[in-house]
Amino acid sequence: MRWGIMGTGGIAETFATDLKLTDSGTVAAVGSRSQAGADKFADRLGVERRHASYEDLADDPEIDAVYVATPHPMHHGNALLALRAGKATLVEKPFTMNAAEARELVQVARDNNVFLMEAMWTRFLPHIHRVRELIGGVGDIVTVTADHGQWFAEDAEHRLFAPALGGGALLDLGVYVVSFASMVLGAPSKIVSMVDSAFTGVDGQTSMIFGYDSGAQAVLTCTLRAKSPVRAVIVGTEARIEIDSDFYAPTTVTLVPRVGEPTVFAFEDAGRGLRHQADEVARRLAAGDTESPLMPLDETISIMATMDTVLAQS
């Protein structure tokens, strides 16, 4: 499969580098807002086709799929370019800035019968596949906990602190914990949040408690101010599943039964882990699917709506 990469930042380079570890696809083209930016990225990663605009990349007949890796506020408009050009589209998380934008992208994809997926790469990692297999043995799920905290120097120009670039802890870091809770428990019926702003006005630290009709609860946190344990735990009446740091990246999983000895599951994985989502897109396209059952579009919309509510409570 021939990928076109829209954007030339760090996540775009990581995806392009990881793609070299799989045989499902290759980077055929890159698009930037300038020819110099496209050339610099392409020279560094050995990409042949370079485009000085995102429109030209989307219209390139020599690519099959587009990976949208631009800043958060650009995801909606950039993904529309790819979808309307008939290209399978993988959109970096957060999928959009809000649920309304997400709904529009999904509607356009469905109206045009074009593949679309959120690039929540964690969903496709080997250790998360094992977690899904283990969940059935934990009994009734009582609690899910997950945290994602990273330390960033206070810099108003940094994208995580810049409102114009979609900065803030929740959209960039918290999306991992919200998506994890969604994978395990679905959409919450109750949401309580506490948000503390960073010096630029974006959310610097956010804590969330989600309630579910089953009686389960999720306790989730994210922050730009400190490196947290970055672990996740699923607690059931019969056992718990502990996912080591960093829970969203390739790591170790431990099943701890209520009675008996723990079982540790270790995984070796080449690269950073982004190649697995590319493999999923290739599998789905080969099967003629327009979305992935591991990261369904309706769930992506639901996750964005949940984060809308969290931020609205601030």
Side-chain angles (χ1 to χ4, degrees), residues 11-251:
I11 195 68
E13 184 164 343
T14 300
F15 179 81
T17 302
D18 266 23
L19 201 56
K20 296 177 181 179
L21 300 173
T22 182
D23 59 4
S24 71
T26 185
V27 180
V30 61
S32 180
R33 287 174 290 184
S34 69
Q35 191 65 57
D39 288 342
K40 184 177 180 181
F41 183 93
D43 288 344
R44 192 162 62 246
L45 293 164
V47 179
E48 180 180 354
R49 302 174 69 81
R50 302 107 183 264
H51 297 284
S53 74
Y54 300 138
E55 291 84 356
D56 287 349
L57 176 72
D59 291 335
D60 188 337
E62 298 300 318
I63 62 172
D64 307 303
V66 171
Y67 171 56
V68 177
T70 50
H72 307 341
M74 301 175 69
H75 288 180
H76 173 260
N78 292 162
L80 282 177
L81 291 174
L83 291 171
R84 287 171 175 163
K87 301 296 196 301
T89 306
L90 177 66
V91 184
E92 188 51 54
K93 46 80 198 142
F95 191 65
T96 50
M97 290 295 291
N98 52 55
E101 291 183 349
R103 291 188 187 98
E104 183 179 2
L105 288 187
V106 171
Q107 191 62 54
V108 170
R110 288 172 172 168
D111 287 347
N112 291 277
N113 199 37
V114 179
F115 181 90
L116 176 64
M117 189 178 85
E118 179 186 2
M120 178 48 72
W121 55 285
T122 303
R123 292 285 177 107
F124 311 100
L125 296 174
H127 78 284
I128 294 298
H129 284 294
R130 180 54 57 91
V131 168
R132 285 195 182 95
E133 294 171 349
L134 295 174
I135 284 177
V138 303
D140 296 330
I141 296 175
V142 176
T143 309
V144 170
T145 63
D147 72 278
H148 191 182
Q150 304 289 348
W151 180 88
F152 295 93
E154 291 191 345
D155 176 1
E157 300 300 318
H158 192 287
R159 67 177 183 85
L160 286 176
F161 292 108
L165 295 178
L170 183 64
L171 288 179
D172 201 86
L173 307 181
V175 65
Y176 286 103
V177 300
V178 174
S179 184
F180 181 77
S182 177
M183 182 189 77
V184 178
L185 292 169
S189 54
K190 299 177 183 178
I191 298 173
V192 178
S193 64
M194 180 177 292
V195 178
D196 189 42
S197 296
F199 71 105
T200 56
V202 302
D203 64 295
Q205 178 164 300
T206 298
S207 297
M208 299 157 274
I209 300 176
F210 295 167
Y212 301 84
D213 291 340
S214 66
Q217 297 178 1
V219 181
L220 314 169
T221 62
C222 58
T223 182
L224 302 176
R225 295 173 174 161
K227 173 67 174 175
S228 68
V230 196
R231 302 178 73 244
V233 182
I234 302 168
V235 181
T237 53
E238 299 301 322
R240 70 178 183 269
I241 301 169
E242 299 179 349
I243 308 175
D244 289 337
S245 184
D246 291 331
F247 80 88
Y248 61 85
T251 190

Side-chain angles (χ1 to χ4, degrees), residues 284-301:
R284 296 302 156 195
L285 290 181
D289 298 332
T290 54
E291 63 181 283
S292 167
L294 298 180
M295 190 67 254
L297 293 175
D298 287 340
E299 186 182 0
T300 288
I301 293 173

